[in-house]
Amino acid sequence: MNKQPDETTPETVPPADRRIAALRQAAQDKHQQAVQRADAGIRKLIKEGEEINFRAVARRAGVSLDFLYAHTDLRNRIEALRGQQRTEDRPAPQTPAADDGTVIHSLTETLRRERTTHRERIQELEQRLAAAHGEILRLQRVIQSHGPGR
């Protein structure tokens, strides 16, 4: 059987294209391994009853925070699990007696917890903003390197 000139065989593919294909495959494999490590890290944190947040998953999985924020499925899963933990950890509201003398103490403690929660949320949002800025910078560099006339 004669081969058509437009068929691509390993002999007809230029070495540079083979190297590019190999590099792409290696990058995909590396990305998939990182996703699997992150997934395994989340499962371990759940199993061990540890707090689930982006830093804990990143440490456990050996991946960057940017990677977790950039990977939509992982980000949504971590946020959902973190939200579940927060609602599970929240104590049932108590109604102190007015003459109990602990009203001020209870309100102060509630305020302290809310401040801590807000600080953590602000810190998380700042990290996500930094990751977004990094992604924008990366994309601008890609655009510049592939700009008009190239």
Side-chain angles (χ1 to χ4, degrees):
M1 182 183 267
N2 290 338
K3 291 187 178 182
Q4 299 295 327
D6 61 339
E7 286 186 32
T8 351
T9 62
E11 301 86 36
T12 62
V13 175
D17 289 347
R18 284 194 302 248
R19 284 192 297 272
I20 291 170
L23 286 172
R24 281 191 179 125
Q25 185 61 47
Q28 288 174 347
D29 292 345
K30 184 177 178 182
H31 177 82
Q32 188 58 37
Q33 290 169 358
V35 170
Q36 290 171 349
R37 285 195 319 270
D39 186 54
I42 291 170
R43 281 188 266 118
K44 284 180 185 177
L45 289 170
I46 292 170
K47 185 177 181 180
E48 296 169 2
E50 298 282 329
E51 181 181 355
I52 299 193
N53 58 47
F54 286 93
R55 286 198 186 281
V57 173
R59 267 194 308 273
R60 185 64 59 108
V63 297
S64 70
L65 287 171
D66 290 342
F67 175 81
L68 294 175
Y69 285 120
H71 198 281
T72 307
D73 293 338
L74 290 172
R75 183 180 67 228
N76 292 339
R77 185 171 174 204
I78 293 168
E79 288 172 345
L81 290 168
R82 184 182 55 199
Q84 286 175 0
Q85 282 183 334
R86 285 187 179 157
T87 58
E88 290 170 3
D89 293 342
R90 197 173 295 149
Q94 298 176 355
T95 52
D99 61 343
D100 193 285
T102 61
V103 173
I104 294 173
H105 177 68
S106 297
L107 291 174
T108 304
E109 190 59 37
T110 301
L111 182 60
R112 187 175 296 124
R113 281 193 310 268
E114 286 181 8
R115 281 183 180 161
T116 301
T117 302
H118 287 273
R119 282 189 198 112
E120 290 170 354
R121 182 69 178 144
I122 289 169
Q123 184 179 15
E124 174 198 336
L125 291 171
E126 287 173 342
Q127 291 168 355
R128 291 175 69 181
L129 179 62
H133 281 268
E135 183 65 11
I136 290 169
L137 180 61
R138 185 187 71 78
L139 292 171
Q140 285 174 337
R141 289 179 181 158
V142 168
I143 289 169
Q144 287 173 353
S145 68
H146 293 82
R150 291 187 190 221

